[in-house]
Amino acid sequence: MRYIVGYTEDARGRDAIALASALAQTTGVQLDLVHVLSNPAPQDAAFPPERAVQEFLTGTADGWLDEGLAMVPQGLPAHKHISYADSFAEGLIEAATELNASLIVVGAARNGLLKRFTIGSVANALLHASPIPVALAPSGYRSEGAVTRMTCAVGTREGADTLLDVAVDAASRRHIPLRLISLVALGSEETESNSQSVERARSHADSVRTRAAEKADEKTTVTALIAQGRTIEAAIESLEWDDNDIVLIGSSRLAQNSQIFLGATANKMLRALPVPMVVVPRDYGSPC
């Protein structure tokens, strides 16, 4: 398996390498650090001055990628690539297709608060177009080692079973616990409707946990819980997190088949999550 790491010579690039390294440890995954430059490639430039500029930019990017490779933990296979495309996101998707990668990893925008998400233009484009899962590293992300727990937000809409399968596979391949969460926004008042919502969520989560446990590796413990609060953000903040957690979520029902599109709940989760998030396209059937 191969992971594409969108590398830039800044904090976002370092965040992406840290997350990709945490995900790749213990799984035998190869990291492919990719920096994207605007078209054309030097050899395709029409005029000598343009060719000289592109050669200079290519040399600079190559040096940045060498610095990025030096950040990858010893023992993890990693290679560098320079892509030429109309946009950074397009170049990453093209590289992922060419290298048959199973995940694209990028960092949050530079103005995000420490360990919080602010989606920049590259991540936003990927979340509307990528045919494979996209992992988002929150600002300032650093990990002391491999991922130690997968958390999957379970829902009842179309595509939920596909996400569950990906989550079970991802946790089982790493022999780590899988935590299933059902988020309930209760509003500001206690009502009978709120109580019914919590009970429905609990029943659904228990049912999903049973199915997941049947599919999981024997070394993978599967648990389920309800996270509730006045808002989705409050529900997320009520949960216990540690630095080596990863959250998996599915795409909105509005997404085209095999593509990503963030729904309203996922966007709210992004504002509150202190840990990385992996967004899985609709109908995606491969491991990550």
Side-chain angles (χ1 to χ4, degrees), residues 11 38 46 49 53 67 70 104 110 155 174 185 204 226 230 272 280 282:
S38 298
V53 170
E67 295 173 0
I104 297 175
R110 283 172 291 187
R174 296 170 174 84
H204 174 65
I226 306 303
R230 293 181 58 185
V280 179
R282 281 190 60 194

Side-chain angles (χ1 to χ4, degrees), residues 97-167:
T97 301
E98 179 181 342
L99 298 174
N100 195 29
S102 57
L103 184 70
I104 297 175
V105 186
V106 294
R110 283 172 291 187
N111 60 342
L113 296 175
L114 183 64
K115 293 191 176 182
R116 287 295 188 271
F117 288 97
T118 299
I119 300 301
S121 58
V122 173
N124 186 62
L126 288 171
L127 292 176
H128 284 80
S130 177
I132 66 173
V134 174
L136 304 173
S139 180
Y141 179 78
R142 295 295 179 270
S143 174
E144 297 300 324
V147 172
T148 57
R149 180 174 62 188
M150 290 278 175
T151 294
C152 179
V154 298
T156 58
R157 290 175 173 172
E158 182 181 353
D161 288 341
T162 298
L163 173 64
L164 181 66
D165 288 342
V166 172

Side-chain angles (χ1 to χ4, degrees), residues 138-198:
S139 180
Y141 179 78
R142 295 295 179 270
S143 174
E144 297 300 324
V147 172
T148 57
R149 180 174 62 188
M150 290 278 175
T151 294
C152 179
V154 298
T156 58
R157 290 175 173 172
E158 182 181 353
D161 288 341
T162 298
L163 173 64
L164 181 66
D165 288 342
V166 172
V168 169
D169 180 82
S172 295
R173 287 177 59 244
R174 296 170 174 84
H175 305 305
I176 59 176
L178 173 61
R179 178 174 67 166
L180 307 176
I181 60 172
S182 184
L183 303 174
V184 182
L186 299 176
S188 58
E189 298 181 0
E190 292 285 341
T191 66
E192 182 178 353
S193 177
N194 282 341
S195 299
Q196 292 172 346
S197 295
V198 171

Side-chain angles (χ1 to χ4, degrees), residues 47 50 165 187 287:
F47 304 102
E50 183 184 26
D165 288 342

Side-chain angles (χ1 to χ4, degrees), residues 4 36 83 85-96 104 106 121-131:
I4 297 296
V36 182
S83 178
D86 290 334
S87 71
F88 208 99
E90 180 181 334
L92 294 180
I93 292 173
E94 289 176 354
I104 297 175
V106 294
S121 58
V122 173
N124 186 62
L126 288 171
L127 292 176
H128 284 80
S130 177

